[in-house]
Amino acid sequence: MHRFQIREDDLSGADIAALLEFHIAEAIRHSPPASVHAMPIDRLRGPDVTFWSLWEGEALAGCGALKELAPDHGEPKSMRTAPAFLRRGVGEAILLHLIAEARHRGYRRLSLETGRTEPFAAARTLYRKYDFEECPPFGNYRADDFSMCMTRAF
């Protein structure tokens, strides 16, 4: 797998702001309004969220965040690969970093929400590769025909 530099990010850079705007725009493009759960940049700065960016040299390759739902439960958020880095292992590097951080924090579970439609197929495949399984909605998510929740225990 390709090696990227992963940095905790304060969300102040123009590159990361642009990638997150793209992330939200893509969520809106591929999801009904009630099923868009992407967090805006101000929410990603919340005390319950830690955000990381992935870099190849000076180029932003992707990002991801970990939201604490409970002292033993986290949620991956804002996982996005920059378009120039698709199919180069960025999503896998993000997910592996989030899993390692969850273990370091002592979480017993990670849960996430994603789409059921074709634009989300690669994400679902990646999550299944790392033992995420479909589960009932958690937190503030509600069942709908578009979204699905997935979880994995440690």
Side-chain angles (χ1 to χ4, degrees):
M1 183 187 326
H2 195 289
R3 300 268 183 210
F4 297 97
Q5 182 184 28
I6 301 174
R7 308 175 192 157
E8 192 167 328
D9 197 299
D10 66 4
L11 296 152
S12 64
D15 288 349
I16 200 65
L19 184 58
L20 289 168
E21 287 176 17
F22 174 72
H23 177 64
I24 290 172
E26 287 294 284
I28 291 168
R29 184 165 77 99
H30 294 296
S31 309
S35 295
V36 175
H37 301 290
M39 295 172 84
I41 196 166
D42 288 342
R43 179 62 186 92
L44 290 167
R45 291 185 178 112
D48 59 338
V49 178
T50 308
F51 188 87
W52 292 272
S53 53
L54 282 75
W55 299 83
E56 183 178 71
E58 296 299 312
L60 177 61
C63 62
L66 189 57
K67 177 183 177 189
E68 185 165 292
L69 300 173
D72 65 346
H73 191 185
E75 179 183 8
K77 295 295 293 181
S78 300
M79 288 184 49
R80 174 58 61 176
T81 300
F85 288 88
L86 290 173
R87 290 172 291 288
R88 292 182 49 198
V90 172
E92 187 168 27
I94 295 166
L95 185 60
L96 288 172
H97 181 78
L98 298 180
I99 290 169
E101 179 64 20
R103 284 186 170 134
H104 175 75
R105 293 180 181 188
Y107 290 172
R108 299 185 52 92
R109 178 167 301 281
L110 280 179
S111 302
L112 59 86
E113 178 277 335
T114 192
R116 291 186 184 277
T117 58
E118 184 58 30
F120 300 92
R124 290 191 312 273
T125 298
L126 176 64
Y127 300 140
R128 285 188 181 109
K129 178 178 177 179
Y130 289 98
D131 301 322
F132 284 83
E133 298 177 346
E134 190 167 356
C135 68
F138 63 94
N140 293 325
Y141 295 108
R142 300 291 169 249
D144 74 45
D145 292 338
F146 180 82
S147 293
M148 66 183 288
C149 291
M150 302 180 81
T151 194
R152 70 162 283 171
F154 294 106

